[in-house]
Amino acid sequence: MARSQRTTSYADVFMLIGRLPWWSHLLFAVPSWWLLRHYASSPLPAAEAALYGGLPDSLFTQLALRQLAQVAQYLLPLALICSGLLSRHQQLAWRRRQALAQDPAALLQRMAWPEFQQLLEETYRPKGYALLSAHGAAAEGAADLLLYRGDERYLLCCRYWRAGRIGVAPLRECFTQLVATGAVGAAMVSIGAFSDKARRFAAERNLLLIDGALLQQWLLVSQPPAPQAITPAPPPT
């Protein structure tokens, strides 16, 4: 019981230190080094050692503490400096995320493919979909994602996700992949926009279009449209 209480006390101390401003860690580094160095180099009370004719328990404890202080005089300041720098890094990263959250369009532009794929997976996961496979890798590793839920398969065509404007040709590729994979539905994903011809093509074949405006909404509310099961129309002759 006592050990559990001590562990809790240590955890509380570390939590308190973690909540301090980052600069306070650096501020405490120098005094902690000076105090530990002063204690480690301070002499043992020789009079007490001579009185007992050796090293009693109290002197043995003091000797052990001084040896520990010799190591801690370097480790503790180093730990404080590292924790302060880490806290500062996390603070700056949080501020950047907050700034980007106010401008989801900029956040999309700065995303790399792994982050974009993670966004899609996390957005569809609440709907019960999980990643089955990624295939057809293109630039920057982008690929079409095949999701599944039970026996259903759903295709996300993402190879042109960075294109500023999508025409009919990528949608033809997406429709071909839809037929080849036997998915119940498909969506074309791009951070840009779709041409009027592309929108008509998608409407004729029940392909869902996910453009930059919709992706920005996902970043704010994390709610995708429900995947729609379709009966694929035959390709144009």
Side-chain angles (χ1 to χ4, degrees):
M1 184 67 179
R3 179 179 299 177
S4 176
Q5 291 177 347
R6 286 197 300 270
T7 302
T8 302
S9 299
Y10 295 151
D12 292 341
V13 170
F14 284 115
M15 288 181 62
L16 178 61
I17 293 175
R19 293 176 180 176
L20 293 175
W22 68 272
W23 50 265
S24 65
H25 297 218
L26 306 181
L27 188 64
F28 291 143
V30 174
S32 65
W33 171 80
W34 186 85
L35 289 173
L36 288 171
R37 182 179 180 83
H38 176 74
Y39 179 75
S41 59
S42 62
L44 288 169
E48 187 176 351
L51 177 64
Y52 285 95
L55 286 178
D57 291 342
S58 60
L59 287 179
F60 182 81
T61 301
Q62 293 185 36
L63 179 61
L65 290 175
R66 281 168 172 77
Q67 291 176 341
L68 180 62
Q70 288 179 356
V71 178
Q73 66 178 321
Y74 302 109
L75 293 183
L76 181 58
L78 180 61
L80 287 171
I81 292 173
C82 291
S83 64
L85 295 177
L86 178 61
S87 176
R88 178 58 174 171
H89 174 74
Q90 292 176 338
Q91 184 183 71
L92 292 176
W94 179 83
R95 288 180 179 177
R96 285 195 297 268
R97 288 195 299 268
Q98 289 295 105
L100 288 173
Q102 304 300 321
D103 188 359
L107 179 57
L108 285 175
Q109 291 292 340
R110 294 184 59 172
M111 274 188 176
W113 166 248
E115 297 172 318
F116 189 75
Q117 178 178 340
Q118 183 180 5
L119 169 66
L120 296 177
E121 291 183 41
E122 291 180 352
T123 305
Y124 275 98
R125 188 172 295 123
K127 301 292 184 180
Y129 283 85
L131 178 64
L132 179 62
S133 63
H135 54 90
E140 300 182 2
D144 295 335
L145 305 180
L146 190 60
L147 308 179
Y148 75 94
R149 181 179 63 184
D151 296 332
E152 291 182 358
R153 294 185 177 187
Y154 193 79
L155 181 65
L156 296 179
C157 301
C158 308
R159 280 183 286 176
Y160 301 94
W161 70 285
R162 276 206 173 277
R165 191 167 183 83
I166 297 289
V168 174
L171 288 174
R172 292 184 189 274
E173 295 180 18
C174 183
F175 186 81
T176 301
Q177 288 292 332
L178 168 63
V179 176
T181 57
V184 299
M188 190 75 193
V189 186
S190 171
I191 64 174
F194 295 91
S195 67
D196 293 338
K197 289 184 178 180
R199 292 187 178 278
R200 288 195 296 268
F201 182 92
E204 292 171 359
R205 288 156 184 81
N206 294 325
L207 296 176
L208 179 64
L209 300 182
I210 301 174
D211 59 8
L214 183 57
L215 288 168
Q216 292 175 37
Q217 294 179 22
W218 290 10
L219 288 173
L220 297 175
V221 300
S222 300
Q223 286 297 326
Q228 48 192 15
I230 67 171
T231 302
T237 57

